[in-house]
Coordinates of all heavy atoms in Angstrom, one line a residue:
Q1 N 105.8 -19.6 52.1 CA 107.0 -20.2 52.0 C 107.7 -20.1 50.6 O 107.1 -20.5 49.7 CB 107.0 -21.7 52.4 CG 108.2 -22.3 52.6 CD 108.2 -23.6 53.3 OE1 107.2 -24.2 53.4 NE2 109.4 -24.1 53.8
A2 N 108.7 -19.4 50.4 CA 109.3 -19.3 49.2 C 110.3 -20.5 49.0 O 110.8 -21.0 50.0 CB 110.2 -17.9 49.0
P3 N 110.8 -20.8 47.8 CA 111.6 -21.9 47.5 C 112.8 -21.7 48.3 O 113.6 -20.7 48.2 CB 111.8 -21.7 45.9 CG 110.6 -21.2 45.5 CD 110.2 -20.1 46.6
G4 N 113.3 -22.7 49.0 CA 114.6 -22.7 49.8 C 114.5 -21.8 51.0 O 115.5 -21.7 51.6
K5 N 113.3 -21.4 51.4 CA 113.2 -20.6 52.5 C 112.4 -21.2 53.5 O 111.5 -21.9 53.2 CB 112.8 -19.1 52.3 CG 113.9 -18.3 51.4 CD 113.5 -17.0 51.2 CE 114.5 -16.3 50.3 NZ 114.1 -14.7 50.3
E6 N 112.4 -20.8 54.8 CA 111.5 -21.2 55.8 C 110.1 -20.5 55.7 O 110.0 -19.5 55.1 CB 112.1 -21.0 57.2 CG 113.4 -21.8 57.5 CD 113.8 -21.5 59.0 OE1 113.1 -20.6 59.6 OE2 114.8 -22.2 59.4
R7 N 109.1 -21.1 56.3 CA 107.8 -20.6 56.3 C 107.9 -19.3 57.1 O 108.3 -19.3 58.2 CB 106.8 -21.7 56.8 CG 105.4 -21.2 56.6 CD 104.4 -22.4 56.9 NE 104.7 -23.6 56.0 CZ 103.8 -24.6 55.9 NH1 102.8 -24.6 56.7 NH2 104.1 -25.5 55.1
E8 N 107.2 -18.5 56.6 CA 107.3 -17.0 57.3 C 105.8 -16.5 57.6 O 104.9 -16.6 56.7 CB 108.1 -16.1 56.7 CG 107.6 -15.6 55.4 CD 108.5 -14.5 54.8 OE1 109.5 -14.0 55.4 OE2 108.2 -13.9 53.6
F9 N 105.6 -15.8 58.6 CA 104.3 -15.1 59.0 C 104.1 -13.9 57.9 O 105.0 -13.2 57.8 CB 104.5 -14.5 60.5 CG 103.4 -13.7 60.8 CD1 102.1 -14.3 61.2 CD2 103.5 -12.4 61.1 CE1 101.1 -13.5 61.6 CE2 102.4 -11.6 61.5 CZ 101.2 -12.2 61.9
V10 N 102.9 -13.8 57.5 CA 102.5 -12.8 56.6 C 101.5 -11.9 57.5 O 101.7 -10.7 57.5 CB 101.7 -13.3 55.4 CG1 101.1 -12.1 54.7 CG2 102.7 -14.2 54.6
G11 N 100.6 -12.5 58.2 CA 99.6 -11.6 59.0 C 98.6 -12.6 59.6 O 98.5 -13.7 59.2
S12 N 97.9 -11.9 60.5 CA 96.9 -12.7 61.3 C 95.7 -11.8 61.6 O 95.8 -10.6 61.6 CB 97.5 -13.4 62.5 OG 98.1 -12.3 63.4
I13 N 94.5 -12.4 61.9 CA 93.3 -11.7 62.2 C 92.7 -12.2 63.4 O 92.6 -13.6 63.5 CB 92.4 -11.5 61.0 CG1 91.3 -10.7 61.3 CG2 92.0 -12.9 60.6 CD1 90.5 -10.3 59.9
N14 N 92.1 -11.6 64.3 CA 91.5 -12.2 65.5 C 90.0 -12.8 65.2 O 89.7 -12.5 64.0 CB 91.5 -11.1 66.6 CG 90.4 -10.1 66.4 OD1 90.1 -9.6 65.4 ND2 89.9 -9.6 67.6
S15 N 89.5 -13.2 66.0 CA 88.3 -13.9 65.9 C 87.2 -13.2 65.2 O 86.4 -13.6 64.4 CB 87.9 -14.7 67.1 OG 87.7 -13.8 68.2
N16 N 87.1 -11.9 65.7 CA 85.9 -11.1 65.2 C 86.3 -10.1 64.2 O 85.4 -9.4 63.5 CB 85.3 -10.3 66.3 CG 86.2 -9.3 67.0 OD1 87.2 -9.0 66.4 ND2 85.9 -8.8 68.1
G17 N 87.5 -10.4 63.7 CA 88.0 -9.6 62.4 C 88.4 -8.0 62.7 O 88.7 -7.5 61.8
R18 N 88.2 -7.7 63.9 CA 88.5 -6.2 64.2 C 90.1 -5.9 64.3 O 90.4 -4.8 64.3 CB 87.8 -5.9 65.5 CG 86.4 -5.8 65.4 CD 85.6 -5.6 66.6 NE 84.2 -5.6 66.4 CZ 83.2 -5.6 67.4 NH1 83.7 -5.5 68.6 NH2 82.0 -5.8 67.1
T19 N 90.9 -6.9 64.5 CA 92.3 -6.7 64.8 C 93.2 -7.5 63.9 O 92.9 -8.7 63.7 CB 92.7 -7.0 66.3 OG1 91.8 -6.3 67.2 CG2 94.2 -6.7 66.6
T20 N 94.1 -7.0 63.2 CA 94.9 -7.6 62.4 C 96.5 -7.2 62.7 O 96.7 -6.2 63.2 CB 94.7 -7.2 60.9 OG1 94.8 -5.8 60.8 CG2 93.4 -7.7 60.5
Y21 N 97.3 -8.1 62.3 CA 98.7 -7.9 62.5 C 99.3 -8.3 61.1 O 99.0 -9.3 60.5 CB 99.2 -8.7 63.6 CG 98.7 -8.4 65.0 CD1 97.4 -8.9 65.4 CD2 99.4 -7.5 65.7 CE1 96.9 -8.6 66.6 CE2 98.8 -7.2 67.0 CZ 97.6 -7.7 67.3 OH 97.0 -7.3 68.6
Y22 N 100.4 -7.7 60.7 CA 101.3 -7.9 59.5 C 102.7 -7.9 59.7 O 103.2 -7.2 60.5 CB 100.8 -7.0 58.5 CG 99.3 -6.8 58.1 CD1 98.6 -6.0 58.7 CD2 98.8 -7.8 57.2 CE1 97.1 -5.9 58.4 CE2 97.4 -7.6 56.8 CZ 96.7 -6.8 57.5 OH 95.3 -6.8 57.2
K23 N 103.4 -8.8 58.9 CA 104.6 -8.7 58.6 C 105.0 -7.3 58.2 O 104.3 -6.8 57.2 CB 105.1 -9.8 57.7 CG 106.7 -9.6 57.2 CD 106.8 -10.9 56.2 CE 108.2 -10.8 55.7 NZ 109.2 -11.1 56.6
D24 N 106.1 -6.7 58.6 CA 106.5 -5.3 58.1 C 106.4 -5.1 56.6 O 106.0 -4.2 56.1 CB 107.8 -5.0 58.7 CG 107.7 -4.6 60.3 OD1 106.7 -4.5 60.7 OD2 108.7 -4.5 60.9
S25 N 107.0 -6.1 55.9 CA 107.2 -5.9 54.5 C 106.0 -5.9 53.7 O 105.9 -5.5 52.5 CB 108.2 -7.0 54.0 OG 107.7 -8.3 54.1
V26 N 104.9 -6.4 54.3 CA 103.6 -6.4 53.6 C 102.5 -5.3 54.2 O 101.5 -5.1 53.6 CB 102.9 -7.7 53.6 CG1 103.9 -8.8 53.1 CG2 102.3 -8.1 55.0
K27 N 102.9 -4.5 55.0 CA 102.0 -3.6 55.7 C 101.8 -2.5 54.5 O 102.7 -2.1 53.9 CB 102.7 -2.9 56.9 CG 102.7 -3.8 58.2 CD 103.3 -3.0 59.4 CE 103.3 -3.9 60.6 NZ 104.0 -3.2 61.8
G28 N 100.5 -2.1 54.4 CA 100.1 -1.2 53.6 C 99.9 -1.7 52.2 O 99.2 -1.0 51.3
R29 N 100.3 -3.1 51.9 CA 100.0 -3.7 50.6 C 99.0 -4.9 50.8 O 98.3 -5.1 49.9 CB 101.3 -4.2 50.0 CG 102.5 -3.0 49.8 CD 103.6 -3.6 49.0 NE 104.4 -4.7 49.7 CZ 104.6 -5.9 49.2 NH1 104.0 -6.4 48.0 NH2 105.2 -6.9 49.9
F30 N 99.1 -5.5 52.0 CA 98.2 -6.7 52.2 C 97.2 -6.3 53.1 O 97.5 -5.6 54.2 CB 99.0 -7.8 52.6 CG 100.0 -8.5 51.5 CD1 100.3 -7.8 50.3 CD2 100.7 -9.7 51.9 CE1 101.1 -8.5 49.4 CE2 101.5 -10.2 50.9 CZ 101.7 -9.6 49.7
T31 N 96.1 -6.9 53.0 CA 95.0 -6.8 53.9 C 94.3 -8.1 54.2 O 93.9 -8.8 53.3 CB 93.9 -5.8 53.4 OG1 94.5 -4.6 53.1 CG2 92.8 -5.6 54.4
I32 N 94.2 -8.4 55.5 CA 93.5 -9.7 55.9 C 92.1 -9.2 56.4 O 91.9 -8.3 57.1 CB 94.3 -10.4 57.0 CG1 95.7 -10.9 56.5 CG2 93.4 -11.6 57.5 CD1 96.5 -11.5 57.6
S33 N 91.2 -10.1 56.0 CA 89.7 -9.9 56.5 C 89.1 -11.3 56.5 O 89.7 -12.3 56.2 CB 89.0 -9.1 55.5 OG 88.8 -9.7 54.2
R34 N 87.9 -11.3 57.2 CA 87.2 -12.5 57.4 C 85.7 -12.4 57.3 O 85.3 -11.3 57.6 CB 87.7 -13.3 58.6 CG 87.3 -12.7 59.9 CD 88.0 -13.3 61.2 NE 87.5 -14.6 61.3 CZ 88.2 -15.4 62.1 NH1 89.4 -15.0 62.7 NH2 87.7 -16.7 62.3
D35 N 85.1 -13.5 57.0 CA 83.7 -13.4 56.9 C 83.2 -14.6 57.8 O 83.2 -15.9 57.2 CB 83.0 -13.5 55.5 CG 81.5 -13.4 55.4 OD1 80.9 -13.7 56.4 OD2 81.0 -13.1 54.4
N36 N 82.9 -14.5 58.9 CA 82.6 -15.7 59.8 C 81.3 -16.4 59.5 O 81.2 -17.6 59.7 CB 82.6 -15.2 61.4 CG 83.9 -14.9 61.8 OD1 84.9 -15.3 61.3 ND2 83.8 -14.2 63.0
A37 N 80.5 -15.7 58.8 CA 79.2 -16.5 58.2 C 79.5 -17.3 57.1 O 78.8 -18.2 56.9 CB 78.2 -15.3 57.7
K38 N 80.6 -17.1 56.4 CA 81.0 -18.0 55.3 C 82.2 -18.8 55.7 O 82.8 -19.5 54.8 CB 81.3 -17.2 54.1 CG 80.2 -16.3 53.5 CD 80.6 -15.6 52.3 CE 79.4 -14.9 51.7 NZ 79.8 -14.1 50.5
N39 N 82.7 -18.8 56.9 CA 83.9 -19.6 57.4 C 85.0 -19.2 56.5 O 85.8 -20.3 56.2 CB 83.6 -21.0 57.4 CG 82.8 -21.5 58.6 OD1 82.3 -20.7 59.4 ND2 82.8 -22.7 59.0
T40 N 85.3 -18.0 56.1 CA 86.3 -17.8 55.2 C 87.1 -16.6 55.6 O 86.7 -15.6 56.1 CB 85.7 -17.3 53.8 OG1 84.9 -18.5 53.3 CG2 86.8 -17.0 52.8
V41 N 88.5 -16.8 55.4 CA 89.5 -15.6 55.6 C 90.0 -15.4 54.3 O 90.3 -16.2 53.4 CB 90.3 -16.0 56.6 CG1 91.3 -17.2 56.2 CG2 91.3 -14.9 57.0
Y42 N 90.4 -14.1 54.1 CA 90.8 -13.4 52.8 C 92.2 -12.9 53.0 O 92.5 -12.3 54.1 CB 90.0 -12.5 52.2 CG 88.5 -13.1 52.0 CD1 87.6 -12.8 53.0 CD2 88.3 -13.7 50.9 CE1 86.2 -13.2 52.8 CE2 87.0 -14.1 50.7 CZ 85.9 -14.0 51.7 OH 84.6 -14.5 51.4
L43 N 93.0 -12.9 52.0 CA 94.3 -12.1 51.9 C 94.3 -11.3 50.7 O 94.4 -11.9 49.5 CB 95.5 -13.1 52.1 CG 96.8 -12.3 52.0 CD1 97.1 -11.4 53.3 CD2 97.9 -13.3 51.9
Q44 N 94.1 -10.0 50.7 CA 94.0 -9.3 49.6 C 95.4 -8.7 49.4 O 96.0 -8.0 50.4 CB 93.0 -8.1 49.8 CG 93.3 -6.9 48.8 CD 92.7 -7.2 47.4 OE1 91.6 -8.0 47.3 NE2 93.4 -6.9 46.3

């Protein structure tokens, strides 16, 4: 959420980490991953 703007979707990752989805403007620049053993999701 940027100042003065609505909250917007950046990306999502399914439960096993094999499938990801991204907002068009971040595709190729952002990467979502997760480590279920650490209960952690990342946004590179």
Side-chain angles (χ1 to χ4, degrees):
Q1 187 165 19
K5 295 188 177 181
E6 292 187 353
R7 190 169 298 189
E8 66 175 5
F9 173 75
V10 174
S12 56
I13 187 168
N14 77 330
S15 56
N16 63 18
R18 293 174 183 171
T19 305
T20 53
Y21 298 85
Y22 298 96
K23 173 182 174 65
D24 283 347
S25 64
V26 308
K27 285 179 181 177
R29 300 190 297 123
F30 290 11
T31 302
I32 298 175
S33 61
R34 66 190 296 164
D35 185 339
N36 285 343
K38 296 182 178 180
N39 276 19
T40 302
V41 61
Y42 304 95
L43 178 64
Q44 171 70 42

